[in-house]
Amino acid sequence: MFARGAGSPSCRGACVHGCVHRGAAALPAAGCPGPSGGPAAACGMSRLLGGTLERVCKAVLLLCLLHFLVAVILYFDVYAQHLAFFSRFSARGPARALHPAASSSTNFSRPNATAPSSGLPEAPSARPGPTAPVLPPCPDSPPGLVGRLLIEFTSPMPLERVQRENPGVLLGGRYTPPDCTPAQTVAVIIPFRHREHHLRYWLHYLHPILRRQRLRYGVYVINQHGEDTFNRAKLLNVGFLEALKEDATYDCFIFSDVDLVPMDDRNLYRCGDQPRHFAIAMDKFGFRLPYAGYFGGVSGLSKAQFLRINGFPNEYWGWGGEDDDIFNRISLTGMKISRPDIRIGRYRMIKHDRDKHNEPNPQRSVKHRASRELVKKQFT
């Protein structure tokens, strides 16, 4: 409002010739008497009033500018809200055209109430639900393995302790690693009868081992009812079929006696290109393989390998003979047995008396020869 270097209007009204700018020494110009005269007091008063008026005018100007800025901000805010409001209407238009029934008088406050279908495909949701994260493959050599383990069977082993120590294992003995995707789905099959004490130790040791090996697995205890002569191989066949009924994705099958516990968790319960024999060095055999064709205790076959040998033999009632028969089936079909290092494939057996109705089969040698000839005819 005021030009810089000019005097204030009030001062010019009192002194005809004006006063020098306040930024200078405020000397009186011509026509402004000195401090001894009466008109000088009137000129000073005029200068004081002029300065006050100038400050008031500046304050009013600042308030006007502030009001203008606030008005501009509010204007753009209201304009943006109007744009968002009309854009919602334009986005809803096509959905209403596709689904006219959605605007009918359906009462959605009732439980399970749904709008009548128009028979047309629904428009995709603007906010899709969260997708499950893609987990990386589990490593071939799991990083959390311990190695050689201390195995003992003297401490009491209630099932409550087993459940408490394995919170991630689901009902039915199922487990899936939470941080990676395993390459195989493994079914562990145990032939069983009257071995509850052994089973508790097996579960106590094997669940932590299998979890550290990053396996997706399920445990199947196949119980033979009654007191007839025990048939281990037939129970293994039943376990193979029952596991696939529950989960058709099983592609690896581990067949384990309930009284054998591995002494090293680097003995990975997986299937490979060839059938796998895990229990190659038991304590009852002095930690040595008893003979070259031994395939008992704990073994593993893929689904394709199991079907290739036509499963296990059903004719062996009582103890012994079925594991040698399985070895012959594998050999005669052109496959070879793979085994871990003897320092890793060590097992402890829970000491026990021979089960009643599981006496050695006196005809196992005869059945073994007959089965060998039959397998030769089938696979050669």
Side-chain angles (χ1 to χ4, degrees):
M1 288 187 177
F2 304 108
R4 191 171 180 81
S8 67
S10 301
C11 184
R12 287 198 299 272
C15 303
V16 176
H17 298 287
C19 298
V20 180
H21 181 253
R22 290 182 295 110
L27 297 176
C32 290
S36 60
C43 185
M45 183 63 68
S46 297
R47 286 199 303 270
L48 180 61
L49 290 174
T52 303
L53 266 177
E54 182 181 359
R55 286 192 291 271
V56 170
C57 290
K58 288 182 178 180
V60 171
L61 177 62
L62 289 176
L63 286 175
C64 291
L65 289 174
L66 181 62
H67 181 270
F68 176 77
L69 289 176
V70 171
V72 170
I73 292 172
L74 291 176
Y75 172 80
F76 281 108
D77 183 65
V78 172
Y79 181 75
Q81 290 180 8
H82 277 284
L83 283 179
F85 177 78
F86 287 109
S87 64
R88 286 198 299 268
F89 271 96
S90 61
R92 291 175 182 176
R96 289 184 176 179
L98 282 174
H99 303 283
S103 61
S104 62
S105 58
T106 304
N107 183 7
F108 289 97
S109 64
R110 294 184 291 108
N112 304 321
T114 56
S117 175
S118 63
L120 296 174
E122 294 183 3
S125 173
R127 294 183 178 180
T131 57
V134 178
L135 298 177
C138 293
D140 291 335
S141 299
L145 298 180
V146 177
R148 186 67 62 85
L149 304 172
L150 177 63
I151 307 297
E152 57 89 18
F153 306 116
T154 58
S155 302
M157 191 55 59
L159 281 177
E160 291 77 15
R161 176 180 173 182
V162 176
Q163 293 173 344
R164 185 173 62 253
E165 292 173 343
N166 299 279
V169 178
L170 303 178
L171 185 65
R174 302 293 299 270
Y175 177 78
T176 300
D179 55 351
C180 63
T181 302
Q184 299 177 346
T185 303
V186 181
V188 184
I189 299 173
I190 302 174
F192 183 84
R193 186 171 66 180
H194 304 324
R195 296 286 194 92
E196 290 80 5
H197 178 66
H198 295 174
L199 181 60
R200 287 195 290 268
Y201 282 114
W202 191 97
L203 296 172
H204 166 70
Y205 286 112
L206 264 296
H207 272 309
I209 290 175
L210 300 178
R211 287 164 50 207
R212 289 197 297 271
Q213 292 181 359
R214 296 293 196 275
L215 298 179
R216 178 171 54 223
Y217 69 90
V219 177
Y220 295 85
V221 179
I222 311 301
N223 180 62
Q224 180 171 325
H225 180 69
E227 298 298 330
D228 291 336
T229 305
F230 196 69
N231 191 323
R232 176 179 181 269
K234 180 172 284 192
L235 293 176
L236 297 179
N237 286 334
V238 171
F240 175 85
L241 296 175
E242 292 299 318
L244 287 175
K245 285 181 184 179
E246 184 175 277
D247 188 347
T249 64
Y250 281 124
D251 50 7
C252 177
F253 296 84
I254 309 297
F255 305 97
S256 174
D257 289 345
V258 73
D259 56 0
L260 288 175
V261 175
M263 300 178 65
D264 197 310
D265 61 2
R266 293 172 295 179
N267 193 0
L268 302 178
Y269 276 29
R270 298 174 181 168
C271 294
D273 296 334
Q274 302 294 332
R276 185 78 165 174
H277 184 214
F278 298 96
I280 66 170
M282 299 183 197
D283 56 354
K284 78 167 187 175
F285 295 136
F287 296 109
R288 294 189 302 270
L289 191 68
Y291 53 92
Y294 182 66
F295 197 66
V298 184
S299 58
L301 292 92
S302 69
K303 180 181 178 181
Q305 293 163 359
F306 186 91
L307 295 175
R308 184 174 178 180
I309 65 171
N310 197 27
F312 295 164
N314 291 321
E315 297 81 15
Y316 290 87
W317 296 89
W319 182 87
E322 81 285 346
D323 47 359
D324 294 333
D325 194 310
I326 297 168
F327 178 86
N328 288 333
R329 292 180 181 224
I330 292 172
S331 300
L332 291 172
T333 53
M335 295 185 288
K336 296 182 178 180
I337 305 296
S338 67
R339 294 186 172 103
D341 187 280
I342 196 168
R343 294 168 295 181
I344 294 177
R346 295 162 66 96
Y347 278 76
R348 282 206 63 186
M349 175 180 284
I350 305 174
K351 294 181 179 180
H352 59 89
D353 298 329
R354 189 177 301 280
D355 298 333
K356 189 178 180 180
H357 304 298
N358 192 28
E359 294 80 8
N361 186 347
Q363 298 181 346
R364 62 182 183 272
S365 298
V366 177
K367 291 183 177 295
H368 182 259
R369 287 193 296 270
S371 176
R372 184 180 180 86
E373 294 300 323
L374 179 61
V375 172
K376 279 184 179 180
K377 293 179 181 179
Q378 290 178 341
F379 301 109
T380 58

Short mmCIF file of all heavy atoms in Angstrom, two decimals, residues 192-239:
data_model
loop_
_atom_site.label_atom_id
_atom_site.label_comp_id
_atom_site.label_asym_id
_atom_site.label_seq_id
_atom_site.Cartn_x
_atom_site.Cartn_y
_atom_site.Cartn_z
N PHE A 192 2.32 -103.32 13.67
CA PHE A 192 2.18 -103.16 15.12
C PHE A 192 1.24 -104.21 15.72
O PHE A 192 0.24 -104.59 15.09
CB PHE A 192 1.63 -101.76 15.40
CG PHE A 192 1.50 -101.41 16.86
CD1 PHE A 192 2.57 -100.93 17.56
CD2 PHE A 192 0.29 -101.59 17.52
CE1 PHE A 192 2.46 -100.61 18.90
CE2 PHE A 192 0.16 -101.27 18.85
CZ PHE A 192 1.25 -100.77 19.55
N ARG A 193 1.61 -104.63 16.94
CA ARG A 193 0.69 -105.35 17.82
C ARG A 193 1.33 -105.46 19.20
O ARG A 193 2.46 -105.93 19.33
CB ARG A 193 0.34 -106.74 17.27
CG ARG A 193 -0.74 -107.44 18.11
CD ARG A 193 -1.25 -108.70 17.46
NE ARG A 193 -0.23 -109.75 17.39
CZ ARG A 193 -0.46 -110.95 16.87
NH1 ARG A 193 -1.65 -111.24 16.36
NH2 ARG A 193 0.51 -111.84 16.83
N HIS A 194 0.63 -105.03 20.21
CA HIS A 194 1.02 -105.17 21.62
C HIS A 194 2.40 -104.53 21.89
O HIS A 194 3.21 -105.08 22.63
CB HIS A 194 1.06 -106.64 22.04
CG HIS A 194 -0.22 -107.37 21.81
ND1 HIS A 194 -1.46 -106.78 21.97
CD2 HIS A 194 -0.45 -108.67 21.43
CE1 HIS A 194 -2.40 -107.67 21.71
NE2 HIS A 194 -1.83 -108.82 21.36
N ARG A 195 2.67 -103.37 21.30
CA ARG A 195 3.97 -102.71 21.51
C ARG A 195 3.77 -101.26 21.93
O ARG A 195 4.52 -100.38 21.48
CB ARG A 195 4.80 -102.77 20.24
CG ARG A 195 5.21 -104.18 19.79
CD ARG A 195 6.32 -104.74 20.67
NE ARG A 195 6.91 -105.92 20.04
CZ ARG A 195 7.96 -105.90 19.24
NH1 ARG A 195 8.54 -104.75 18.96
NH2 ARG A 195 8.44 -107.00 18.73
N GLU A 196 2.82 -100.97 22.80
CA GLU A 196 2.56 -99.58 23.20
C GLU A 196 3.78 -98.95 23.85
O GLU A 196 4.09 -97.76 23.60
CB GLU A 196 1.37 -99.52 24.15
CG GLU A 196 0.01 -99.82 23.53
CD GLU A 196 -0.23 -101.31 23.37
OE1 GLU A 196 0.62 -102.10 23.83
OE2 GLU A 196 -1.26 -101.69 22.80
N HIS A 197 4.49 -99.71 24.67
CA HIS A 197 5.69 -99.19 25.34
C HIS A 197 6.75 -98.78 24.31
O HIS A 197 7.36 -97.70 24.42
CB HIS A 197 6.23 -100.26 26.28
CG HIS A 197 7.49 -99.87 26.99
ND1 HIS A 197 7.53 -98.86 27.92
CD2 HIS A 197 8.76 -100.36 26.89
CE1 HIS A 197 8.77 -98.73 28.37
NE2 HIS A 197 9.53 -99.63 27.76
N HIS A 198 6.96 -99.61 23.30
CA HIS A 198 7.94 -99.29 22.26
C HIS A 198 7.48 -98.11 21.42
O HIS A 198 8.31 -97.28 21.02
CB HIS A 198 8.16 -100.52 21.36
CG HIS A 198 8.77 -101.68 22.06
ND1 HIS A 198 8.94 -102.91 21.46
CD2 HIS A 198 9.25 -101.82 23.33
CE1 HIS A 198 9.50 -103.75 22.31
NE2 HIS A 198 9.69 -103.10 23.46
N LEU A 199 6.20 -98.04 21.14
CA LEU A 199 5.68 -96.98 20.29
C LEU A 199 5.90 -95.60 20.91
O LEU A 199 6.22 -94.64 20.21
CB LEU A 199 4.19 -97.20 20.01
CG LEU A 199 3.51 -96.17 19.12
CD1 LEU A 199 4.15 -96.11 17.75
CD2 LEU A 199 2.01 -96.46 19.00
N ARG A 200 5.75 -95.50 22.22
CA ARG A 200 5.96 -94.20 22.87
C ARG A 200 7.40 -93.73 22.70
O ARG A 200 7.66 -92.55 22.46
CB ARG A 200 5.56 -94.29 24.34
CG ARG A 200 4.06 -94.35 24.56
CD ARG A 200 3.71 -94.06 26.01
NE ARG A 200 4.13 -95.15 26.89
CZ ARG A 200 3.36 -96.18 27.24
NH1 ARG A 200 2.14 -96.26 26.77
NH2 ARG A 200 3.81 -97.11 28.05
N TYR A 201 8.37 -94.65 22.85
CA TYR A 201 9.77 -94.26 22.62
C TYR A 201 10.01 -93.89 21.16
O TYR A 201 10.74 -92.94 20.87
CB TYR A 201 10.70 -95.40 23.03
CG TYR A 201 10.91 -95.51 24.53
CD1 TYR A 201 10.46 -96.61 25.24
CD2 TYR A 201 11.57 -94.51 25.23
CE1 TYR A 201 10.65 -96.72 26.60
CE2 TYR A 201 11.77 -94.60 26.60
CZ TYR A 201 11.30 -95.71 27.28
OH TYR A 201 11.49 -95.81 28.63
N TRP A 202 9.43 -94.66 20.26
CA TRP A 202 9.61 -94.36 18.83
C TRP A 202 9.09 -92.97 18.51
O TRP A 202 9.78 -92.18 17.83
CB TRP A 202 8.87 -95.42 18.00
CG TRP A 202 9.20 -95.38 16.54
CD1 TRP A 202 10.11 -96.15 15.88
CD2 TRP A 202 8.62 -94.51 15.56
NE1 TRP A 202 10.13 -95.82 14.55
CE2 TRP A 202 9.22 -94.81 14.31
CE3 TRP A 202 7.64 -93.53 15.59
CZ2 TRP A 202 8.89 -94.15 13.14
CZ3 TRP A 202 7.33 -92.86 14.42
CH2 TRP A 202 7.93 -93.17 13.21
N LEU A 203 7.88 -92.64 18.98
CA LEU A 203 7.32 -91.31 18.72
C LEU A 203 8.16 -90.22 19.37
O LEU A 203 8.36 -89.14 18.79
CB LEU A 203 5.88 -91.25 19.23
CG LEU A 203 4.87 -92.17 18.54
CD1 LEU A 203 3.54 -92.15 19.28
CD2 LEU A 203 4.67 -91.76 17.09
N HIS A 204 8.66 -90.49 20.57
CA HIS A 204 9.47 -89.50 21.29
C HIS A 204 10.73 -89.12 20.51
O HIS A 204 11.10 -87.93 20.45
CB HIS A 204 9.84 -90.06 22.66
CG HIS A 204 10.93 -89.30 23.36
ND1 HIS A 204 10.73 -88.03 23.87
CD2 HIS A 204 12.22 -89.63 23.63
CE1 HIS A 204 11.86 -87.61 24.43
NE2 HIS A 204 12.77 -88.55 24.29
N TYR A 205 11.39 -90.09 19.91
CA TYR A 205 12.63 -89.82 19.19
C TYR A 205 12.41 -89.44 17.73
O TYR A 205 13.09 -88.56 17.20
CB TYR A 205 13.56 -91.04 19.27
CG TYR A 205 14.21 -91.22 20.61
CD1 TYR A 205 13.89 -92.30 21.43
CD2 TYR A 205 15.16 -90.31 21.08
CE1 TYR A 205 14.48 -92.47 22.67
CE2 TYR A 205 15.76 -90.47 22.32
CZ TYR A 205 15.42 -91.56 23.11
OH TYR A 205 16.01 -91.70 24.35
N LEU A 206 11.47 -90.12 17.06
CA LEU A 206 11.36 -89.93 15.61
C LEU A 206 10.69 -88.63 15.22
O LEU A 206 11.07 -88.02 14.19
CB LEU A 206 10.62 -91.10 14.99
CG LEU A 206 11.50 -92.22 14.41
CD1 LEU A 206 12.35 -91.71 13.24
CD2 LEU A 206 12.41 -92.82 15.48
N HIS A 207 9.70 -88.15 15.95
CA HIS A 207 9.06 -86.89 15.55
C HIS A 207 10.06 -85.74 15.50
O HIS A 207 10.11 -85.01 14.49
CB HIS A 207 7.90 -86.56 16.49
CG HIS A 207 6.59 -87.17 16.07
ND1 HIS A 207 6.08 -87.04 14.79
CD2 HIS A 207 5.69 -87.91 16.76
CE1 HIS A 207 4.92 -87.67 14.71
NE2 HIS A 207 4.66 -88.21 15.89
N PRO A 208 10.89 -85.52 16.51
CA PRO A 208 11.88 -84.44 16.39
C PRO A 208 12.88 -84.66 15.26
O PRO A 208 13.28 -83.71 14.58
CB PRO A 208 12.58 -84.44 17.76
CG PRO A 208 11.58 -85.05 18.69
CD PRO A 208 10.86 -86.07 17.89
N ILE A 209 13.27 -85.92 15.03
CA ILE A 209 14.21 -86.20 13.95
C ILE A 209 13.59 -85.85 12.59
O ILE A 209 14.20 -85.16 11.76
CB ILE A 209 14.64 -87.68 13.99
CG1 ILE A 209 15.54 -87.94 15.21
CG2 ILE A 209 15.38 -88.06 12.70
CD1 ILE A 209 15.91 -89.40 15.39
N LEU A 210 12.37 -86.31 12.35
CA LEU A 210 11.72 -86.06 11.06
C LEU A 210 11.43 -84.58 10.85
O LEU A 210 11.50 -84.08 9.72
CB LEU A 210 10.43 -86.88 10.98
CG LEU A 210 10.59 -88.40 11.08
CD1 LEU A 210 9.24 -89.09 11.04
CD2 LEU A 210 11.50 -88.92 9.98
N ARG A 211 11.13 -83.87 11.93
CA ARG A 211 10.90 -82.43 11.80
C ARG A 211 12.20 -81.71 11.45
O ARG A 211 12.21 -80.79 10.62
CB ARG A 211 10.31 -81.88 13.09
CG ARG A 211 8.84 -82.27 13.31
CD ARG A 211 8.42 -82.05 14.75
NE ARG A 211 8.78 -80.75 15.24
CZ ARG A 211 9.00 -80.46 16.53
NH1 ARG A 211 8.90 -81.42 17.43
NH2 ARG A 211 9.31 -79.25 16.90
N ARG A 212 13.30 -82.10 12.08
CA ARG A 212 14.58 -81.46 11.75
C ARG A 212 15.01 -81.78 10.32
O ARG A 212 15.73 -80.98 9.70
CB ARG A 212 15.68 -81.93 12.73
CG ARG A 212 15.54 -81.37 14.13
CD ARG A 212 16.84 -81.51 14.91
NE ARG A 212 17.25 -82.89 15.10
CZ ARG A 212 16.88 -83.66 16.11
NH1 ARG A 212 16.05 -83.18 17.04
NH2 ARG A 212 17.33 -84.89 16.22
N GLN A 213 14.57 -82.90 9.80
CA GLN A 213 14.89 -83.25 8.41
C GLN A 213 14.02 -82.52 7.40
O GLN A 213 14.16 -82.75 6.20
CB GLN A 213 14.76 -84.77 8.23
CG GLN A 213 15.82 -85.56 8.98
CD GLN A 213 15.68 -87.06 8.77
OE1 GLN A 213 14.79 -87.53 8.06
NE2 GLN A 213 16.57 -87.84 9.37
N ARG A 214 13.14 -81.64 7.87
CA ARG A 214 12.27 -80.82 7.01
C ARG A 214 11.41 -81.70 6.09
O ARG A 214 11.31 -81.45 4.89
CB ARG A 214 13.10 -79.85 6.17
CG ARG A 214 13.86 -78.81 6.95
CD ARG A 214 12.92 -77.83 7.64
NE ARG A 214 13.61 -76.64 8.07
CZ ARG A 214 14.26 -76.51 9.24
NH1 ARG A 214 14.27 -77.54 10.08
NH2 ARG A 214 14.86 -75.38 9.57
N LEU A 215 10.78 -82.71 6.69
CA LEU A 215 9.93 -83.61 5.92
C LEU A 215 8.47 -83.24 6.10
O LEU A 215 8.04 -82.83 7.18
CB LEU A 215 10.13 -85.06 6.38
CG LEU A 215 11.52 -85.67 6.23
CD1 LEU A 215 11.53 -87.10 6.74
CD2 LEU A 215 11.97 -85.63 4.77
N ARG A 216 7.71 -83.39 5.03
CA ARG A 216 6.25 -83.39 5.13
C ARG A 216 5.84 -84.86 5.23
O ARG A 216 5.99 -85.62 4.27
CB ARG A 216 5.63 -82.73 3.91
CG ARG A 216 4.09 -82.75 3.93
CD ARG A 216 3.51 -81.90 2.81
NE ARG A 216 4.05 -82.29 1.53
CZ ARG A 216 4.44 -81.41 0.60
NH1 ARG A 216 4.37 -80.12 0.82
NH2 ARG A 216 4.92 -81.83 -0.57
N TYR A 217 5.32 -85.25 6.38
CA TYR A 217 5.15 -86.68 6.61
C TYR A 217 3.89 -86.97 7.41
O TYR A 217 3.29 -86.08 8.02
CB TYR A 217 6.37 -87.25 7.35
CG TYR A 217 6.51 -86.78 8.78
CD1 TYR A 217 5.92 -87.48 9.83
CD2 TYR A 217 7.24 -85.64 9.09
CE1 TYR A 217 6.04 -87.05 11.14
CE2 TYR A 217 7.38 -85.20 10.39
CZ TYR A 217 6.78 -85.92 11.42
OH TYR A 217 6.90 -85.49 12.73
N GLY A 218 3.52 -88.24 7.39
CA GLY A 218 2.45 -88.77 8.24
C GLY A 218 2.87 -90.14 8.75
O GLY A 218 3.54 -90.90 8.04
N VAL A 219 2.48 -90.45 9.98
CA VAL A 219 2.85 -91.72 10.61
C VAL A 219 1.61 -92.60 10.66
O VAL A 219 0.55 -92.17 11.14
CB VAL A 219 3.42 -91.50 12.02
CG1 VAL A 219 3.72 -92.84 12.69
CG2 VAL A 219 4.68 -90.64 11.95
N TYR A 220 1.75 -93.85 10.20
CA TYR A 220 0.63 -94.79 10.15
C TYR A 220 1.02 -96.06 10.92
O TYR A 220 1.94 -96.78 10.50
CB TYR A 220 0.27 -95.13 8.71
CG TYR A 220 -0.26 -93.94 7.95
CD1 TYR A 220 0.61 -93.04 7.34
CD2 TYR A 220 -1.63 -93.70 7.89
CE1 TYR A 220 0.12 -91.93 6.68
CE2 TYR A 220 -2.12 -92.58 7.22
CZ TYR A 220 -1.24 -91.71 6.62
OH TYR A 220 -1.72 -90.60 5.97
N VAL A 221 0.35 -96.28 12.05
CA VAL A 221 0.57 -97.48 12.86
C VAL A 221 -0.50 -98.49 12.46
O VAL A 221 -1.69 -98.29 12.74
CB VAL A 221 0.49 -97.13 14.36
CG1 VAL A 221 0.70 -98.37 15.21
CG2 VAL A 221 1.53 -96.05 14.71
N ILE A 222 -0.08 -99.58 11.82
CA ILE A 222 -1.01 -100.58 11.28
C ILE A 222 -1.07 -101.74 12.26
O ILE A 222 -0.13 -102.54 12.36
CB ILE A 222 -0.57 -101.04 9.88
CG1 ILE A 222 -0.27 -99.84 8.98
CG2 ILE A 222 -1.65 -101.92 9.26
CD1 ILE A 222 -1.44 -98.88 8.79
N ASN A 223 -2.17 -101.81 12.97
CA ASN A 223 -2.32 -102.80 14.04
C ASN A 223 -2.99 -104.07 13.52
O ASN A 223 -3.99 -104.01 12.80
CB ASN A 223 -3.16 -102.20 15.17
CG ASN A 223 -3.36 -103.17 16.30
OD1 ASN A 223 -2.39 -103.58 16.94
ND2 ASN A 223 -4.60 -103.55 16.56
N GLN A 224 -2.42 -105.22 13.88
CA GLN A 224 -3.04 -106.50 13.55
C GLN A 224 -3.92 -106.92 14.73
O GLN A 224 -3.43 -107.16 15.83
CB GLN A 224 -1.99 -107.58 13.26
CG GLN A 224 -2.62 -108.94 12.92
CD GLN A 224 -1.59 -109.93 12.42
OE1 GLN A 224 -0.64 -109.56 11.73
NE2 GLN A 224 -1.77 -111.21 12.75
N HIS A 225 -5.19 -107.01 14.48
CA HIS A 225 -6.16 -107.35 15.54
C HIS A 225 -6.14 -108.85 15.81
O HIS A 225 -5.88 -109.66 14.93
CB HIS A 225 -7.55 -106.91 15.11
CG HIS A 225 -8.62 -107.20 16.11
ND1 HIS A 225 -8.71 -106.55 17.32
CD2 HIS A 225 -9.63 -108.10 16.09
CE1 HIS A 225 -9.73 -107.01 18.00
NE2 HIS A 225 -10.32 -107.97 17.27
N GLY A 226 -6.43 -109.17 17.06
CA GLY A 226 -6.54 -110.59 17.43
C GLY A 226 -5.20 -111.19 17.79
O GLY A 226 -4.18 -110.49 17.92
N GLU A 227 -5.19 -112.51 17.92
CA GLU A 227 -3.99 -113.22 18.37
C GLU A 227 -3.50 -114.23 17.35
O GLU A 227 -2.78 -115.16 17.69
CB GLU A 227 -4.29 -113.92 19.71
CG GLU A 227 -4.66 -112.97 20.84
CD GLU A 227 -3.55 -112.00 21.17
OE1 GLU A 227 -2.36 -112.35 20.99
OE2 GLU A 227 -3.85 -110.87 21.61
N ASP A 228 -3.91 -114.08 16.11
CA ASP A 228 -3.39 -114.98 15.09
C ASP A 228 -1.91 -114.69 14.84
O ASP A 228 -1.37 -113.67 15.28
CB ASP A 228 -4.18 -114.82 13.79
CG ASP A 228 -5.60 -115.33 13.90
OD1 ASP A 228 -5.84 -116.19 14.77
OD2 ASP A 228 -6.48 -114.85 13.14
N THR A 229 -1.28 -115.57 14.08
CA THR A 229 0.14 -115.40 13.79
C THR A 229 0.38 -114.08 13.06
O THR A 229 -0.36 -113.69 12.15
CB THR A 229 0.63 -116.58 12.92
OG1 THR A 229 0.33 -117.81 13.58
CG2 THR A 229 2.13 -116.49 12.70
N PHE A 230 1.42 -113.41 13.47
CA PHE A 230 1.73 -112.07 12.96
C PHE A 230 2.20 -112.16 11.52
O PHE A 230 2.93 -113.09 11.14
CB PHE A 230 2.81 -111.43 13.84
CG PHE A 230 2.96 -109.95 13.66
CD1 PHE A 230 1.98 -109.08 14.09
CD2 PHE A 230 4.11 -109.43 13.09
CE1 PHE A 230 2.13 -107.71 13.94
CE2 PHE A 230 4.27 -108.07 12.94
CZ PHE A 230 3.27 -107.21 13.36
N ASN A 231 1.79 -111.17 10.70
CA ASN A 231 2.20 -111.10 9.30
C ASN A 231 2.66 -109.68 9.00
O ASN A 231 1.87 -108.80 8.65
CB ASN A 231 1.04 -111.49 8.37
CG ASN A 231 1.48 -111.71 6.94
OD1 ASN A 231 2.35 -111.00 6.43
ND2 ASN A 231 0.88 -112.68 6.26
N ARG A 232 3.96 -109.46 9.14
CA ARG A 232 4.53 -108.11 8.99
C ARG A 232 4.35 -107.56 7.58
O ARG A 232 3.93 -106.41 7.39
CB ARG A 232 6.02 -108.16 9.34
CG ARG A 232 6.77 -106.85 9.15
CD ARG A 232 8.23 -106.98 9.55
NE ARG A 232 8.95 -105.73 9.39
CZ ARG A 232 9.60 -105.38 8.30
NH1 ARG A 232 9.60 -106.19 7.22
NH2 ARG A 232 10.24 -104.22 8.23
N ALA A 233 4.67 -108.35 6.57
CA ALA A 233 4.63 -107.85 5.19
C ALA A 233 3.22 -107.49 4.77
O ALA A 233 3.01 -106.48 4.07
CB ALA A 233 5.22 -108.91 4.24
N LYS A 234 2.24 -108.27 5.19
CA LYS A 234 0.85 -107.94 4.82
C LYS A 234 0.43 -106.64 5.47
O LYS A 234 -0.29 -105.83 4.84
CB LYS A 234 -0.08 -109.08 5.23
CG LYS A 234 -1.54 -108.83 4.87
CD LYS A 234 -2.41 -110.05 5.11
CE LYS A 234 -2.21 -111.08 4.01
NZ LYS A 234 -3.24 -112.15 4.05
N LEU A 235 0.85 -106.40 6.70
CA LEU A 235 0.52 -105.13 7.35
C LEU A 235 1.15 -103.95 6.61
O LEU A 235 0.55 -102.87 6.51
CB LEU A 235 1.00 -105.15 8.81
CG LEU A 235 0.28 -106.12 9.74
CD1 LEU A 235 0.93 -106.09 11.13
CD2 LEU A 235 -1.19 -105.78 9.86
N LEU A 236 2.34 -104.14 6.07
CA LEU A 236 2.98 -103.07 5.30
C LEU A 236 2.20 -102.79 4.02
O LEU A 236 2.06 -101.63 3.61
CB LEU A 236 4.43 -103.44 4.98
CG LEU A 236 5.35 -103.61 6.19
CD1 LEU A 236 6.75 -104.01 5.74
CD2 LEU A 236 5.40 -102.35 7.03
N ASN A 237 1.69 -103.83 3.38
CA ASN A 237 0.84 -103.62 2.20
C ASN A 237 -0.42 -102.85 2.55
O ASN A 237 -0.84 -101.94 1.83
CB ASN A 237 0.46 -104.97 1.58
CG ASN A 237 1.63 -105.62 0.85
OD1 ASN A 237 2.54 -104.94 0.39
ND2 ASN A 237 1.61 -106.95 0.75
N VAL A 238 -1.03 -103.21 3.69
CA VAL A 238 -2.23 -102.50 4.13
C VAL A 238 -1.90 -101.03 4.41
O VAL A 238 -2.66 -100.12 4.02
CB VAL A 238 -2.81 -103.18 5.38
CG1 VAL A 238 -3.93 -102.33 5.98
CG2 VAL A 238 -3.33 -104.58 5.04
N GLY A 239 -0.77 -100.78 5.05
CA GLY A 239 -0.38 -99.39 5.33
C GLY A 239 -0.18 -98.58 4.07
O GLY A 239 -0.56 -97.40 4.01
#
